[in-house]
Every structure is written in structure tokens, then in C-alpha cells.
Amino acid sequence: MHLKIILELSEEGGYTAIVPVLPGCISEGNTREEAIKNIREAIELYLEPAEDDSIFSSNAEQIEITV
């Protein structure tokens, strides 16, 4: 999977990494390399199936739409 990230210098020092296509998926690091490593982990956690997925009934359907 290829995702574009925004990597910017933070005013406090270090870097902030944001994934525009994953709302709220943000991480930081003291260096570029650390910020990239941390955002990879954040993406994996973001995409990990939520425990709440089991609250839907067995006849529920998941579909994708384009808007």
C-alpha cells in the first residue's frame, strides 16, 4: 500500500507527520527518520481492525462507495 504523508518541521522542534487520507492519523519524531518510523506504526494501528467491528449483526454488510 502506498500512502502520501505530509512531513513538516514542528515549531517546537522535530517533525510532524500527517496522513491526509486517514483523518486523525498524525505522529511526530525528533528526526525525519523517527517521524517516518512513527507514522508507519500509526498507520498500522489506524488500519488495524477495531474490536468494535464485532458489534454488527451477522447479516450486516460492508460495502465501499465512491463519492
Side-chain angles (χ1 to χ4, degrees):
M1 173 185 297
H2 296 282
L3 297 173
K4 291 184 181 183
I5 66 167
I6 306 295
L7 190 62
E8 61 184 358
L9 283 170
S10 178
E11 290 181 13
E12 302 83 30
Y15 291 84
T16 300
I18 302 166
V19 185
V21 298
L22 302 176
C25 190
I26 301 170
S27 193
E28 299 177 324
N30 292 323
T31 65
R32 285 174 47 93
E33 293 77 18
E34 183 179 350
I36 293 169
K37 175 184 163 282
N38 291 343
I39 199 65
R40 284 181 193 274
E41 183 177 321
I43 292 167
E44 289 174 6
L45 292 171
Y46 189 102
L47 296 176
E48 189 174 275
E51 291 178 16
D52 292 348
D53 287 349
S54 62
I55 64 170
F56 301 106
S57 68
S58 59
N59 63 348
E61 180 180 4
Q62 180 175 335
I63 61 171
E64 292 184 27
I65 61 170
T66 302
V67 292

